[in-house]
Amino acid sequence: MKLFRLCSDQVQPQHPLPWNVYNDSGQLLLSRGYVLQDIAQVNALTARGVYVDQLAFEAQQQDAARQSRRQDAVTLWESLHQRMAQLLTQPADAAVFRQSMDEACDDIRHALAHRQEASLFELLHTDDPASYAVSHSVQTAFVANLIGQRMGWSETDCDTLSQAALTMNLGMLPLQSVLALQQTPLSPQQRQAVHDHGAMGRRALEARGVTDVNWLHAVEHHHVTPNGGPLPATHADSGELACMLHYVDVYLAKISARASRPAMPSHTAARSLFVQADGARNPYVSALIKEIGVYPPGSCVRLANGEIGIVVRRGEAAHLPEVHSLISANGQPMPQAVPRDTAQAAHKVTEALPRGRLSQRLNRRALFAQPAAA
């Protein structure tokens, strides 16, 4: 056991000790769970020189950091986005890369189990072309996992799906950021880079020590069709993971703004993909639209009374989402969001609007703290 000396600011009075505490010779002084009553006791203890097992201390610190970033969906996804931006754009050795990817998969599983509606809202409402390259990969990982669960995929397959989604554009991240802000057509060189980015992504992953053949194959082959069309006869060669990534990728691209075009409203994107990809016979597209719904959280909608609001949660029926109105019928911002029962005729959703229709900053934490309409 390697001992690590504690400082007074690492011990909280009135809180159970998260580790056993020892003297410098390794004798147990206080057991895990013991509560020091006040700062005077803490100072007296640490002045003597007290120690903990370094491995136990580091594990507790990691767990505290994990709990901190999971306190709500906003914090969770902001943290994951920042960590993935650093991981994907800067060199990392194989061990660090693998550990970071495992932590990302763990966070995605947690969000699916405990923060599903708020996570959909966060991911689908985020629409900043400047950070598109990373945010799109994070969005794809969560939504693809959501669909994978609907289709009964194993946890192992869903983790591989997350890893592949987060890294699917590793071969063109800088170019992807440029294209999100570019208003002119792609140059021949850019088209070639887009065409080659799956193979380039695989090589970049292999350089980072990735050996999982399913992960590597999904990244290399995730462009199953040129533009999200029907499944080709050869789609089995691409594999299920790549097919899932492809159609989620296409859907999320449709509802994301570019400098060259606005975002599609959610229902328009769903209908477009369904028709374009032969959705009735395409299991990936059918499952995606059934799970996400016509009005996913984060969608901007107009109600029958003329108000404009934001979808906070999916409803029991696809046409009955939980909506909070933000703009009155006369076009004035409301002082605070007002929950509306969309089953009532006056508050029926009449159309989905592009997300850019709402110009005010949203207090996302407050939206999810509000009760639904009575």
Side-chain angles (χ1 to χ4, degrees), residues 47-202:
R48 294 173 52 188
V50 290
Y51 299 80
V52 295
D53 177 358
Q54 183 169 338
L55 292 178
F57 180 82
E58 290 173 352
Q60 184 271 330
Q61 292 292 99
Q62 291 173 358
D63 184 63
R66 185 181 303 115
Q67 296 306 318
S68 176
R69 70 175 181 254
R70 289 177 175 179
Q71 58 186 304
D72 56 62
V74 177
T75 305
L76 173 61
W77 293 108
E78 285 179 348
S79 169
L80 183 56
H81 186 280
Q82 291 167 1
R83 286 180 284 131
M84 292 310 303
Q86 181 174 2
L87 184 68
L88 297 177
T89 58
Q90 298 180 13
D93 67 39
V96 171
F97 185 79
R98 186 68 208 211
Q99 180 181 347
S100 298
M101 292 301 300
D102 287 344
E103 289 174 356
C105 290
D106 193 44
D107 281 349
I108 290 170
R109 284 196 302 272
H110 177 85
L112 283 164
H114 305 289
R115 301 271 190 272
Q116 194 170 116
E117 298 298 310
S119 291
L120 271 175
F121 185 99
E122 279 300 299
L123 297 177
L124 300 184
H125 191 69
T126 300
D127 203 9
D128 179 8
S131 63
Y132 177 78
V134 173
S135 63
H136 179 70
S137 295
V138 173
Q139 290 169 348
T140 302
F142 180 81
V143 174
N145 251 272
L146 192 61
I147 313 311
Q149 285 191 350
R150 168 178 275 273
M151 297 179 73
W153 289 13
S154 69
E155 184 175 291
T156 298
D157 284 342
C158 285
D159 279 352
T160 305
L161 189 60
S162 290
Q163 293 163 338
L166 291 168
T167 57
M168 65 182 179
N169 292 325
L170 191 57
M172 60 170 284
L173 279 178
L175 175 59
Q176 196 175 26
S177 296
V178 169
L179 295 179
L181 299 170
Q182 182 172 309
Q183 298 190 31
T184 57
L186 275 67
S187 69
Q189 293 82 4
Q190 288 174 330
R191 289 189 183 280
Q192 188 62 46
V194 171
H195 179 270
D196 295 342
H197 82 274
M200 292 174 64
R202 177 178 184 135

Side-chain angles (χ1 to χ4, degrees), residues 280-299:
R281 290 187 289 183
N282 187 322
Y284 308 99
V285 171
S286 296
L288 188 156
I289 293 173
K290 287 175 183 175
E291 184 63 37
I292 298 297
V294 181
Y295 307 114
S299 299

